[in-house]
Amino acid sequence: MKINRQGKSRTLSGEELDLVMHYLPSEKYKLISLVLRKTAGRISEVVSLKYENLTATTILFPKEITKGKLKSREIPISKDLFLKLQEWKTNCKSHGEEVNAKDFIFKGRNGALTTRAFQKALAQAVIKADLRGFSSHGYRRSSLSAGSDAGIPIRHLAELSGHQSMAVLQEYLTVKRSHLEKAVEAFA
């Protein structure tokens, strides 16, 4: 468990992620939370997204904003997530913000919202939800673990997450006691 920015972030269930989202301070932070959850993206990638990286079916994480800056990732997105992002864009326009293709989706004071701003808001939400040990990277671990639990092949998860190494990806995946019990039952 992550304590004082040390260790691995806790992995949460869908219901626990909903609870954390409930305690986030604004729609901006809730939408960032949803994008993290639905793309298994890193917080640095999500806050760096621009409107030009969004289509009705895909979020593109250009290689310039990915860890290592080696390869872009295209993540299929649901119609629901796309509509929420479009609603956010409309909201921003209605509040007098200029919204162009090159603009950051999640603006801060001087460009993109900082990762630290989100992490501070998340830390408060985690305390209110009584789910200590969860951090922004926990969205990535939770999403990838949920995909694994749903039977998604690890190669597909690696493509979505951008992991070059299956060994590194496997470190993200949470092994639950119920998985171990099922394995033991299958032993000859």
Side-chain angles (χ1 to χ4, degrees):
M1 181 166 28
K2 194 162 194 152
I3 299 171
N4 293 327
R5 301 181 70 167
Q6 302 296 315
K8 290 183 182 178
S9 177
R10 181 175 176 177
T11 302
L12 300 183
S13 68
E15 295 79 22
E16 290 169 322
L17 290 168
D18 289 342
L19 184 60
V20 169
M21 189 183 295
H22 169 76
Y23 286 113
L24 287 169
S26 70
E27 290 308 309
K28 178 193 296 188
Y29 292 100
K30 290 175 183 182
L31 186 55
I32 291 169
S33 172
L34 187 62
V35 174
L36 286 166
R37 185 174 174 177
K38 297 298 184 180
T39 65
R42 295 174 182 89
I43 185 60
S44 61
E45 296 168 340
V46 171
V47 297
S48 298
L49 286 171
K50 296 181 178 182
Y51 286 104
E52 68 185 358
N53 304 131
L54 178 65
T55 71
T57 59
T58 305
I59 288 180
L60 171 69
F61 290 107
K63 70 179 182 178
E64 297 79 23
I65 68 171
T66 63
K67 184 178 178 181
K69 300 176 182 5
L70 298 174
K71 185 179 170 188
S72 297
R73 290 196 326 273
E74 287 188 25
I75 310 297
I77 61 170
S78 67
K79 187 174 185 172
D80 183 54
L81 179 55
F82 175 73
L83 291 174
K84 287 183 187 215
L85 287 163
Q86 287 303 107
E87 186 179 312
W88 173 252
K89 183 177 182 180
T90 301
N91 246 0
C92 291
K93 284 181 179 179
S94 70
H95 287 94
E97 284 187 41
E98 195 172 318
V99 179
N100 298 307
K102 298 277 186 201
D103 289 332
F104 292 107
I105 296 173
F106 305 109
K107 293 180 183 176
R109 288 186 197 144
N110 300 309
L113 183 76
T114 65
T115 58
R116 191 70 195 125
F118 179 79
Q119 289 166 337
K120 283 176 74 175
L122 179 62
Q124 291 303 307
V126 165
I127 290 168
K128 289 176 183 173
D130 196 26
L131 294 168
R132 286 176 177 77
F134 181 73
S135 69
S136 60
H137 209 65
Y139 285 102
R140 190 165 165 83
R141 294 190 74 229
S142 298
S143 297
L144 295 170
S145 291
S148 177
D149 292 350
I152 306 302
I154 195 165
R155 181 67 196 110
H156 297 178
L157 295 174
E159 185 70 24
L160 292 169
S161 67
H163 285 104
Q164 302 296 315
S165 161
M166 296 301 141
V168 172
L169 173 57
Q170 287 178 323
E171 288 182 30
Y172 277 72
L173 307 178
T174 301
V175 178
K176 298 177 183 169
R177 178 151 181 94
S178 61
H179 298 152
L180 299 175
E181 290 169 356
K182 187 175 179 181
V184 169
E185 287 176 22
F187 287 170

